[in-house]
Amino acid sequence: MAATATHEEPAPILRLTGIDRRFGGVHAVRGVDLQVRPGERRAVLGPNGAGKTTVFNLISGEFPPSAGRVELFGLDVTTLPARKRARLGLSRTFQTSRLFAGLSVEDNLYLAALGVSAGHLRLVPSGKDGTLRAAARAMAERIGLDTRLDDLVMDLSHGEQRQLEVGMALVAEPKLLMLDEPAAGLSRAERVRLTETLIGLDEDITLILIEHDMDVALRVAKWVTMMHDGRVIVEGTPDEIRANQTVHDLYLGSGLIAHA
Amino acid sequence: MNPTVSTRRIAWPALIAVVALAAIAPLLVSDFFLSAILTKALWLGIAAASLIFLAAYGGMVSLAQVGIYGIAGMAYANLVLADGGAAAAVNPYLALVAALLIATLVGLGFGWIAARSEGIYFLMITLAFSVLVYYFFSQVTGLSGFGGINSVDLPGIVGSPEQDPLPRYLVTLVVAVLVFLGLGVLSRTAFGLGMQGVRDEPARMRALGFDVTLHRTLAFGIAAFVAGIAGVLSVFYNTRITPGSINLAQTIDVLIVAVIGGLYRLEGAWLGALTYALIDNYSREWVPEVGNVLGPARFNTLIGVLFLIIVLASPGGLIGIAEQLSRKVKTPRRAPAPMPAPQTVD
């Protein structure tokens, strides 16, 4: 795997080395190496079952790899639990929304902001938590949910829930943001809005994106990693990926796996 | 997925009305009713509230609450009563504080173990705890006396319930209101919201940076403190404590109280306890004699049937039924929407 830019290379913000993960008899991820530099816009593509979400879970610390090494922000975090990685500045969304259905939109965002700050166990009334409440409301406005602050999340539409997923990841002000299929199930208008949000992200935030929608993925990403069968098979710019025969075969459902 | 749980503000007008009614109740009812129904409903309600608090805000249905209140009750009784019914060994107020401390510490320790399991496994491990506590006190007669610890000294503020049950009733009432308000306020703190986050999506909470096990453990400790209060009040109520009063049947009774009232709202604890106390006391008189089939001795059957009807009519218990009724009476100002609202196409 060749690096893109040949000029000066900053230290990677994320480095996976020889990552393996088995679930019983299933070999979900096989020897994946991956490097992401600060400020990068990276898309991870691949058909269902390629191992994309497993790689995400290994990076965020849902479970440890069977073999290999995960480094975040220059630290070896292979055995560090998810909550400590979050506090280092990693923030993620989930493929199927994992929101607090019994809480209001504002309380969801409040908890997301609270997670990376001190004082999880404080007994102060959360309504008087000025700074975090302000951050929660500002984020609600940014994702277009400011009119639904007091509504329970279980009463939101699918599109609104997906927006909230992204908002909850952003309100933690991460250094590394990982989005798992943020556009899944969104309407056309909602996709356009999401794409704009992602393109408009602060340049300091590093973004890794799993997305099946090529319009979203290839517009947002500057560099694409293509996975299949637990392996990284191609990496390149969006243009190179568009022109790549293997990618076409995989996404058009060809039974033959061509060799790139 | 929990049915319609949400963070609710305390309904002050309703609370004030109920407390006012409870405060004048001694003028309206007999001493028997005051003790056997109202006082019992208040302390049993606190025990059920500790269960509902964990279930509604933490997503943990615990059967350990009776075990914990048994520990508090036994600790209190042992501390105030020297062996053989001699004069009080420890000041009752001091014993009370010590009993609550012991219950809370045991709760934290056990919660730390139980917090790692979920769902049916959590239910089983907490059930095992209650059974363990029961057998411990059944067999270690050095702590439970033979057939229980009798004529336990009570704090002065409770007076002598045999002569005048009113002070004990008022003390229990005040404590119940404080427990209700305390848990209500707690649910809106940073910690309380975190608990509800753990209830809805523990994986998300971890990804956000929270220590889910710590949250669960502390929630369990708080519930143990509340259960401990119920345990000490149960000793005030019975003026004795026996292993038989903290057995498996009592564990099931507290669960039934919580389910009848409504597992998803704290208020349900006392509504369920009042209903239970009424049925438990009066159902013998209600069951008609029908040959060998029915009779006053079958009051347990009546309790069972009532329980089934309530649970089938409303998974949210009596509080759930009350909510449904008030929804029908009032024209809904805002869709309560257990189902997602229909979406307009854009």
Side-chain angles (χ1 to χ4, degrees), chain B residues 18-265:
Chain B
V18 170
V19 172
L21 190 64
I24 58 164
L27 303 173
L28 309 174
V29 302
S30 68
D31 276 2
F32 170 77
F33 194 90
L34 194 67
S35 286
I37 305 296
L38 296 181
T39 308
K40 183 169 185 187
L42 285 170
W43 74 256
L44 196 59
I46 295 173
S50 79
L51 195 156
I52 292 178
F53 168 73
L54 278 180
Y57 296 116
M60 298 179 270
V61 179
S62 162
L63 296 180
Q65 305 317 105
V66 168
I68 287 166
Y69 95 52
I71 289 174
M74 284 289 182
Y76 174 80
N78 271 290
L79 285 170
V80 293
L81 211 68
D83 193 41
V90 175
N91 178 302
Y93 292 103
L94 199 62
L96 188 154
V97 173
L100 293 183
L101 195 66
I102 291 168
T104 309
L105 288 177
V106 170
L108 283 172
F110 175 71
W112 183 72
I113 298 167
R116 279 145 231 273
S117 60
E118 284 181 33
I120 187 77
Y121 303 102
F122 182 83
L123 197 78
M124 293 304 295
I125 199 172
T126 52
L127 174 64
F129 176 81
S130 273
V131 172
L132 192 93
V133 170
Y134 165 67
Y135 278 111
F136 176 80
F137 284 115
S138 296
Q139 290 167 9
V140 183
T141 47
L143 286 173
S144 61
F146 289 91
I149 305 173
N150 299 305
S151 340
V152 177
D153 274 17
L154 306 182
I157 193 171
V158 178
S160 319
E162 287 84 4
Q163 275 101 56
D164 181 10
L166 183 61
R168 182 177 63 186
Y169 169 72
L170 292 176
V171 166
T172 313
L173 175 64
V174 168
V175 172
V177 171
L178 289 178
V179 165
F180 176 72
L181 288 178
L183 293 180
V185 168
L186 185 72
S187 73
R188 293 298 309 166
T189 61
F191 170 77
L193 280 183
M195 239 183 107
Q196 294 168 74
V198 170
R199 169 198 71 203
D200 287 346
E201 280 295 349
R204 184 56 177 254
M205 287 298 280
R206 286 188 198 99
L208 288 177
F210 288 91
D211 188 337
V212 167
T213 305
L214 180 64
H215 248 84
R216 285 201 176 119
T217 304
L218 291 178
F220 205 90
I222 291 164
F225 175 74
V226 174
I229 293 173
V232 173
L233 289 174
S234 81
V235 178
F236 292 2
Y237 175 77
N238 293 311
T239 66
R240 66 195 291 253
I241 184 165
T242 63
S245 68
I246 54 168
N247 62 8
L248 190 58
Q250 182 67 5
T251 296
I252 292 168
D253 284 350
V254 169
L255 181 66
I256 286 177
V257 165
V259 173
I260 287 182
L263 259 188
Y264 302 103
R265 292 194 64 164

Side-chain angles (χ1 to χ4, degrees), chain A residues 83 86-87 94 98-103 107 110-111 115-116 120-124 126 133 151 155 157 165 168, chain B residues 5-7 186 188-191 193-194 196-197 200-201 203-211 214 218 337 343:
Chain A
R83 66 188 161 86
R87 297 180 80 95
F94 292 83
R98 290 190 175 214
L99 304 167
F100 310 126
L103 294 177
D107 285 344
Y110 168 79
L111 278 180
V116 289
H120 291 177
L121 309 175
R122 279 171 312 149
L123 296 179
V124 292
S126 71
R133 286 281 160 188
D151 291 339
D155 295 339
S157 72
E165 270 286 322
M168 284 173 71
Chain B
V5 193
S6 65
T7 48
L186 185 72
R188 293 298 309 166
T189 61
F191 170 77
L193 280 183
Q196 294 168 74
D200 287 346
E201 280 295 349
R204 184 56 177 254
M205 287 298 280
R206 286 188 198 99
L208 288 177
F210 288 91
D211 188 337
L214 180 64
L218 291 178
Q343 290 305 302

Side-chain angles (χ1 to χ4, degrees), chain A:
Chain A
M1 36 183 264
T4 29
T6 42
H7 48 268
E8 42 150 339
E9 269 190 48
I13 200 165
L14 165 71
R15 194 207 314 257
L16 301 183
T17 320
I19 289 289
D20 248 57
R21 175 70 204 194
R22 292 167 189 275
F23 298 102
V26 181
H27 204 164
V29 172
R30 308 162 187 240
V32 165
D33 296 315
L34 191 73
Q35 285 196 33
V36 178
R37 282 162 289 109
E40 214 184 294
R41 297 285 180 271
R42 171 78 62 104
V44 180
L45 302 184
N48 288 327
K52 307 181 295 292
T53 296
T54 306
V55 166
F56 257 42
N57 287 336
L58 290 166
I59 297 171
S60 72
E62 288 281 295
F63 39 71
S66 310
R69 190 176 149 91
V70 183
E71 283 164 82
L72 272 178
F73 315 115
L75 300 168
D76 183 348
V77 298
T78 312
T79 57
L80 205 66
R83 66 188 161 86
K84 292 197 175 156
R85 299 190 200 190
R87 297 180 80 95
L88 289 176
L90 178 148
S91 190
R92 69 165 295 184
T93 66
F94 292 83
Q95 194 174 355
T96 49
S97 298
R98 290 190 175 214
L99 304 167
F100 310 126
L103 294 177
S104 70
V105 169
E106 187 180 321
D107 285 344
N108 268 260
L109 289 165
Y110 168 79
L111 278 180
L114 176 66
V116 289
S117 64
H120 291 177
L121 309 175
R122 279 171 312 149
L123 296 179
V124 292
S126 71
K128 300 205 172 102
D129 225 340
T131 327
L132 296 180
R133 286 281 160 188
R137 288 196 199 105
M139 184 51 67
E141 197 173 338
R142 201 167 144 196
I143 56 176
L145 291 179
D146 45 331
T147 57
R148 310 214 55 178
L149 280 176
D150 293 327
D151 291 339
L152 293 186
V153 163
M154 64 175 87
D155 295 339
L156 298 184
S157 72
H158 174 78
E160 289 167 330
Q161 293 194 351
R162 294 309 287 172
Q163 245 132 305
L164 185 56
E165 270 286 322
V166 175
M168 284 173 71
L170 275 175
V171 77
E173 297 182 352
K175 287 186 267 183
L176 172 58
L177 174 65
M178 309 205 307
L179 304 179
D180 195 346
E181 296 196 33
L186 293 191
S187 71
R188 219 181 140 63
E190 288 167 338
R191 275 163 200 254
V192 170
R193 189 197 169 99
L194 174 73
T195 311
E196 276 160 12
T197 308
L198 297 185
I199 289 174
L201 277 183
D202 190 329
E203 282 181 10
D204 293 340
I205 298 179
T206 309
L207 174 69
I208 311 179
L209 176 74
I210 296 178
E211 187 49 67
H212 282 303
D213 185 320
M214 294 292 180
D215 286 343
V216 178
L218 299 184
R219 271 196 68 201
V220 173
K222 301 280 179 345
W223 190 248
V224 178
T225 298
M226 183 79 196
M227 287 187 70
H228 180 58
D229 246 354
R231 293 189 178 87
V232 173
I233 51 166
V234 188
E235 290 202 308
T237 64
D239 285 338
E240 288 164 15
I241 292 295
R242 272 194 200 96
N244 188 293
Q245 188 58 41
T246 312
V247 176
H248 275 259
D249 290 344
L250 285 173
Y251 269 97
L252 292 176
S254 159
L256 301 168
I257 295 174
H259 295 276

